[in-house]
Amino acid sequence: MKLFAFIVLSALSAVTSLAKAKEHVFDINTNKPGAEIPSTMYGIFFEDINYGADGGLYGELIKNRSFEFPQNLMGWMSFGDVSLKDDGPFPRCPHYVRLAVCKEPSKWTGLQNEGYFGIGYQKNAVYRFTVWARVPNGGVAKISAQLVDPKTMGERQQYLGETSITVDSKDWKKYECYIKCADHVEKGSFRLLLDHSSSTVDLEHVSLFPKDTYKGDENGLRKDLAEALEQLHPGVFRFPGGCVVEGAELESRYQWKNSVGPVENRPLNENRWLHSFDNRLFPDYFQSYGLGFYEYFRLAEEIGAEPVPVVSVGLACQYQSNRHQPLDQLQPYIDDAIDLIAFANGDPATNKWAKIRADMGHPAPFNLKYIAIGNEQWGKEYPERLKPFVAQIKAKYPDIHIIGSSGPDSEGDKYDYLWPEMRKLKVDLVDEHFYRDENWFLKAGNRYDNYSRKGPKVFAGEYACHETGKKWNHFYAALLEAAFMTNLERNADVVRMATYAPLFAHVEGWQWRPDAIWFNNTSKFNTCSYYVQQLYATNKGKHVLPLTMKGKPVAGNADQDGLFASAVLDKNDHSVIVKIVNTGDQPQSVSLNLKGWGQTMVSGTLTTFHADNMDAENTLDSPQQIVPYTSQQSGKTITISAKTFIIYRFSKK
Ligand code: AHR
């Protein structure tokens, strides 16, 4: 209903504004297709920030399932006779719990897990409970597993669902069962209760997943969130960070080798975002590595994106620490990068890392083409470390494209120093980051027009419009991102990849905003920025077409009435896609002068993305408040309402 009203109002405002609209002529030379738009042009960047992985995309619902958090029972409420042990079956996760029946027969022994901001249960959904267990002294133990609504006002707390397992082996074994949930609960918990007649039992790696994960994987991803990524049609997938690659100290950098192999034996890592902001402190933020490099590569494959893993260059986050890996002790870091290429592409018969990949279920290579070394690094410490990486990777894998960094800033000293260094090192692409305000975005429409076409290409690896004091995902920020992206598209010969950041945020667990997708335990919404990314990715085209107004690119310059524009030729070469962003306060009329198509009439679809209120945003309660809509359009003149992004996709009539 809301959407309908919006469409009608928008149509009316477009009609009433026609009289006021100023005329502009865009010259589009359809005879001169320019650079090919790479398949990698628009993509996604995933980092475990804002509870993006554990508690987010990763389907696991139990926090601290292996009892490895520094406070071993963090996330658990234990009661009765529960003790902690550390000689478990998984050497890199040695802790487990021992449950014994209480001496007082009426008292219970058990454990209850709080999940991440509670556990979200869906009505009629089925959950897969697995646990490693043994009865150390023999006998039989019966454990009841309950999906609990701790806050219920109903007669029974555990009305949501319940099952039980019987443990009868002195050896560690994995037990598995399914529990159907009777109701929807946003903040449930998970309880294990030891039957009064049980023998003592040991429990390790207590896990609960929705059965219905993305693509049905057992160690799978939360379906709605993974599908939101798929629906972005990303051409490239950068992971796993960001600052988590660097670590607050080197010890907590993301170590991909710890993230592969059986999940039960992946060691815990502190999440670098745990301590970052004392105004938003999340002392229970750790990385289980359950969403590890195998899962990242699989996801890249499933959503059709080129994987771009990022590895540590031996520099911990330079904002926080200068305890870096000495140059003469860098080889293990370089080996990590080289072994990663083998993990992704190598032959399982001859390479131990490739064999791990095959043993995990993917004997075929992942066909990795890119690797990024370092994230937001700066100073001479960076190129002097990057140099041996480049030399050794290029010697062993000459076809792999290496991505360096121009530091954390869009311009300035660090950027000015690093770009020439990246050229000297002959990296293939340079990762640029810019979290900038509205003013910056309004003025950045020509950023890449004069970049050198020689040497490394650009990967705009992290960017978002951040207005001071207004860091929610309001429409205007997304509109300016759309405007800026005409610049990326026009310069597709030099900008080969671009990924908005960050991708995910839990509404209760965020450290950084804005973000593309927000979620709670059971639902999610796409922000306006998400829709801009999706509109570009689904209207990518194949070749850039030169588009000018009075001989100049349309990039929000002084005499251009707030207009930004780009044009591409579609895949089949039969249609043209023109993107126009009107950032101004007045409607603007644009006539398309299609050189090469003569006087031929054209028609097609017009996609419009607009909000009346620039501060408006989508929310969990109103996830569809601001969405693009498509109508039919014919002719070469279009009127673009104030503060509106349109995509006109047309062909000859
Ligand atoms: O995207 C959030 C953070 O911003 C990334 O971890 C880092 O690369 C940048 O500073």
Side-chain angles (χ1 to χ4, degrees), residues 45 47 49 242-244 273 319 375-376 433 435 462 501-502 512:
F45 160 53
E47 174 167 22
I49 184 173
C243 293
V244 302
W273 295 103
Y319 286 111
N375 174 45
E376 282 182 353
H433 293 180
Y435 297 103
E462 293 182 32
W512 185 289

Side-chain angles (χ1 to χ4, degrees), residues 22 95 159 206 225 253 259 271 296 332 348 359 418 619 633:
K22 195 170 148 189
H95 294 94
Y159 72 96
V206 181
L225 299 184
R253 72 191 187 279
S259 81
N271 190 303
Y296 284 127
D359 290 347
L418 282 174
T619 62
Q633 173 83 25

Side-chain angles (χ1 to χ4, degrees), residues 559-581:
D559 53 349
Q560 295 186 325
D561 295 319
L563 291 171
F564 293 70
S566 57
V568 294
L569 201 56
D570 198 9
K571 284 200 191 84
N572 55 20
D573 290 1
H574 296 312
S575 51
V576 170
I577 306 169
V578 180
K579 302 183 180 78
I580 307 176
V581 183

Side-chain angles (χ1 to χ4, degrees), residues 590 592 600-606 631-639 648-653:
V590 170
L592 305 175
T600 336
M601 278 309 290
V602 301
S603 68
T605 56
L606 185 73
S631 54
Q632 295 305 307
Q633 173 83 25
S634 59
K636 294 180 192 163
T637 300
I638 33 180
T639 297
Y648 187 19
R649 178 191 274 266
F650 55 84
S651 48
K652 292 176 188 170
K653 225 178 180 178

Side-chain angles (χ1 to χ4, degrees), residues 220-277:
L221 307 181
R222 188 172 140 175
K223 196 175 181 183
D224 59 337
L225 299 184
E227 282 179 351
L229 299 185
E230 186 182 300
Q231 287 155 13
L232 273 171
H233 299 276
V236 67
F237 176 32
R238 177 179 183 247
F239 59 89
C243 293
V244 302
V245 166
E246 304 162 353
E249 305 87 27
L250 281 175
E251 297 70 42
S252 62
R253 72 191 187 279
Y254 194 103
Q255 297 195 52
W256 75 266
K257 286 177 176 168
N258 289 343
S259 81
V260 297
V263 280
E264 294 87 347
N265 200 24
R266 299 184 192 173
L268 188 80
N269 191 28
E270 183 179 286
N271 190 303
R272 174 250 177 281
W273 295 103
L274 184 161
H275 297 293
S276 304
F277 303 115

Side-chain angles (χ1 to χ4, degrees), residues 78-129:
S78 68
F79 46 94
D81 190 346
V82 177
S83 53
L84 181 76
K85 305 280 171 191
D86 65 0
D87 59 346
F90 307 112
R92 299 198 292 183
C93 299
H95 294 94
Y96 61 96
V97 286
R98 176 160 293 173
L99 275 63
V101 171
C102 291
K103 293 204 174 63
E104 168 57 55
S106 63
K107 291 189 177 165
W108 288 97
T109 286
L111 286 167
Q112 189 158 322
N113 193 274
E114 66 189 25
Y116 299 90
F117 313 99
I119 298 179
Y121 291 123
Q122 310 264 17
K123 187 170 181 172
N124 293 328
V126 174
Y127 294 86
R128 186 169 52 85
F129 161 54

